[in-house]
Amino acid sequence: MGELRDKVCVITGGAGSIGCETARLFLEEGGRVVLVDLREADLQRAAHSLGAADLVCVAADVSRAEDTQRYLDQAVAAFGKIDVLFSNAGNAGVIAPIAEYPDDVFDSVYAVHVKGAYHACKHGLPRMNDGGSIIITSSVAAFRGDEGVYAYITAKHAQIGLMRCVAKEAAHRRIRVNTLHPGPVDNAFQAGIENSLGTIVGRDATQLFNELIPLGRHATPREIARSALYLASSQSSFTTGSTLRVDGGMSV
Ligand SMILES: NC(=O)c1ccc[n+]([C@@H]2O[C@H](COP(=O)([O-])OP(=O)(O)OC[C@H]3O[C@@H](n4cnc5c(N)ncnc54)[C@H](O)[C@@H]3O)[C@@H](O)[C@H]2O)c1
């Protein structure tokens, strides 16, 4: 308890599974949390489930620069300068052969994961306290290629390049920048991907993934949140520019 006492923590995708569970853990650890997500109703549902006083919600689209500045400004207005910036919002895209891959889906997936993280770093750094932490949720998908998953896998790879550059620029302020790489998580986001994939491969994709994961199962959202806490807190004080895999060995 108390790993993030009075730390100001911004979490994008905060109404979703990993974001909301991370908010729960950060609040338990004494953090002041700003949840960012697309829809006000989803944010209110998440806030209700968290039931915390030290919580502010901002509806914003992370792929838009002006929305990013607004959610960051609201965070600073509510709690002061930011200590932990968790760029975690994501969308899955579709699975399709390259020649048929829809351009609008590619653009939208890239906009959320890559532009979203870029805007967060660009506008977030000037609003952060020295000694803070930026965490970008990438994926096990950053370490492999799978046919058909063109937008998501490309975007998840690109986040590492962004992270490495920002880690170097931010180091003189002792701000650490890392990517977090979950494997398949037992939640609705992954279930949606597995439903689409199951239709394409003609078998239960949840089981298929479990066979690909040496530890033999999906992660819980709490396991991902605990890794985010490690990167957010001083427990990882000498870790920057790293790619933390929380994937049960799937990328080995
Ligand atoms: N679920 C998994 O198995 C898994 C595995 C590896 C990586 N990830 C990554 O983890 C992150 C969180 O995913 P999750 O599993 O919690 O899924 P989720 O769908 O529960 O949460 C994602 C959240 O991001 C929000 N979002 C999407 N586009 C947005 C935008 N433009 N602006 C603001 N918010 C937006 C959604 O509304 C949603 O609440 C994503 O980046 C995802 O790619 C998930």
Side-chain angles (χ1 to χ4, degrees):
M1 296 288 280
E3 289 281 355
L4 298 175
R5 174 95 31 232
D6 294 330
K7 299 290 184 195
V8 178
C9 309
V10 177
I11 301 176
T12 76
S17 165
I18 292 171
C20 187
E21 193 57 30
T22 303
R24 193 180 315 281
L25 184 56
F26 283 10
L27 287 162
E28 287 167 15
E29 293 294 337
R32 297 173 162 188
V33 171
V34 178
L35 288 186
V36 179
D37 211 298
L38 278 175
R39 285 170 290 274
E40 189 63 45
D42 295 340
L43 284 163
Q44 288 314 319
R45 198 166 335 119
H48 184 71
S49 86
L50 294 168
D54 272 348
L55 183 71
V56 164
C57 295
V58 185
D61 179 343
V62 300
S63 69
R64 297 168 60 90
E66 54 276 29
D67 279 31
T68 305
Q69 295 182 55
R70 182 168 53 77
Y71 79 67
L72 292 164
D73 282 342
Q74 284 187 236
V76 174
F79 295 132
K81 284 179 97 171
I82 297 159
D83 298 293
V84 177
L85 182 47
F86 186 24
S87 175
N88 167 73
N91 54 351
V94 299
I95 303 172
I98 188 79
E100 293 161 26
Y101 207 90
D103 290 348
D104 60 332
V105 173
F106 190 94
D107 289 346
S108 134
V109 171
Y110 216 79
V112 176
H113 295 277
V114 185
K115 271 300 211 38
Y118 162 75
H119 289 315
C121 292
K122 175 175 179 172
H123 300 292
L125 265 179
R127 294 168 171 84
M128 287 182 74
N129 284 315
D130 289 359
S133 170
I134 296 177
I135 307 156
I136 300 169
T137 309
S138 178
S139 167
V140 66
F143 303 117
R144 36 185 305 138
D146 284 305
E147 65 180 81
V149 196
Y150 292 103
Y152 189 74
I153 288 185
T154 304
K156 289 308 196 185
H157 277 71
Q159 288 176 318
I160 297 179
L162 171 74
M163 174 277 287
R164 286 184 171 138
C165 298
V166 182
K168 288 207 167 161
E169 181 169 339
H172 73 281
R173 293 179 53 204
R174 294 178 292 105
I175 292 176
R176 299 171 297 104
V177 188
N178 297 285
T179 43
L180 179 60
H181 299 262
V185 178
D186 186 6
N187 67 14
F189 182 92
Q190 180 66 15
I193 293 171
E194 289 171 3
N195 283 341
S196 313
L197 187 62
T199 313
I200 293 166
V201 298
R203 58 168 293 201
D204 180 347
T206 305
Q207 200 182 338
L208 174 65
F209 276 112
N210 284 339
E211 289 167 12
L212 291 172
I213 301 166
L215 287 181
R217 64 171 176 83
H218 288 42
T220 65
R222 188 73 170 185
E223 287 173 311
I224 309 306
R226 283 203 294 264
S227 299
L229 173 62
Y230 167 70
L231 291 174
S233 74
S234 61
Q235 296 290 342
S236 60
S237 54
F238 205 55
T239 301
T240 195
S242 82
T243 52
L244 179 58
R245 301 172 192 218
V246 195
D247 63 4
M250 186 175 171
S251 57
V252 171

